[in-house]
Amino acid sequence: MEKVVLITGAAQGLGRALSKEFLAKGWYVIATDIDDLSMAWMLDHKAAWVINMDVTSDGSVNSAFTRLSNAHIVLDLIINNAGIDCYFPLSEAPVDQFMQVFEINVFGGYRVNQTFLPIVRKPGGRIVHISSESLNLTMPFMPYPLSKKLVESYAKVLRIELHFSGI
């Protein structure tokens, strides 16, 4: 039986590269993104399922979960890759602009994990969060490293919590 991976932010960049690599290694790839047109190259691949999913929307994530759950999919791996990098003065930017970075980079993964946890293989399932070497940078105009610092801390705590369930 082939292994199954769900990848968020799979339309471009690292998410697209991860999708190609997992397909090449024989995994079944569930590629999710808000830009599903950029994932059209996977539509003809028998081991890929392209799903439009916005990690900032409970409804969108729940809809994707329902589709997978109804298809009796069990996930071996979740890769929380969806993310944005913006540059703006933290001292002047509207709160909404600052919150958007955290909504996608932090709470998106949190939302996906909470929603999809019931269909992650136990024991043996894995959850990966894509962080950044920039997390230790303290630079003006960059909320991205701040969000990735929180992602790293969250991932460490989640690992401890889920250890006892075999994930």
Side-chain angles (χ1 to χ4, degrees):
M1 182 176 178
E2 62 193 347
K3 291 191 174 200
V4 180
V5 58
L6 180 139
I7 302 171
T8 67
Q12 56 188 333
L14 182 60
R16 184 180 184 124
L18 287 167
S19 297
K20 288 180 178 181
E21 186 66 22
F22 277 95
L23 285 169
K25 299 285 186 194
W27 286 59
Y28 187 85
V29 174
I30 299 161
T32 70
D33 204 301
I34 57 172
D35 182 13
D36 55 345
L37 292 177
S38 293
M39 298 185 293
W41 65 272
M42 280 190 274
L43 291 176
D44 293 332
H45 205 293
K46 293 177 186 175
W49 188 354
V50 171
I51 298 178
N52 183 290
M53 185 175 78
D54 178 357
V55 299
T56 69
S57 164
D58 290 339
S60 181
V61 173
N62 287 333
S63 175
F65 171 79
T66 299
R67 291 177 70 188
L68 296 182
S69 184
N70 287 343
H72 306 288
I73 298 288
V74 176
L75 300 174
D76 294 283
L77 175 61
I78 295 173
I79 299 178
N80 289 297
N81 174 67
I84 60 169
D85 188 6
C86 301
Y87 302 92
F88 51 81
L90 302 182
S91 60
E92 300 172 12
V95 171
D96 290 349
Q97 193 174 3
F98 187 70
M99 287 175 58
Q100 181 189 26
V101 174
F102 282 80
E103 184 61 41
I104 295 169
N105 295 359
V106 179
F107 297 112
Y110 183 87
R111 182 177 287 109
V112 167
N113 293 340
Q114 253 192 354
T115 303
F116 286 91
L117 194 58
I119 62 170
V120 173
R121 184 171 311 283
K122 296 170 191 76
R126 299 281 184 260
I127 297 173
V128 172
H129 296 267
I130 301 298
S131 184
S132 170
E133 295 256 328
S134 74
L135 67 93
N136 292 315
L137 294 177
T138 306
M139 307 255 323
F141 311 110
M142 292 180 62
Y144 181 79
L146 300 173
S147 71
K148 291 304 183 175
K149 187 85 157 180
L150 184 52
V151 166
E152 291 253 337
S153 296
Y154 165 60
K156 288 176 183 176
V157 170
L158 189 65
R159 181 180 189 171
I160 295 166
E161 287 183 10
L162 296 179
H163 172 76
F164 299 105
S165 65
I167 297 174

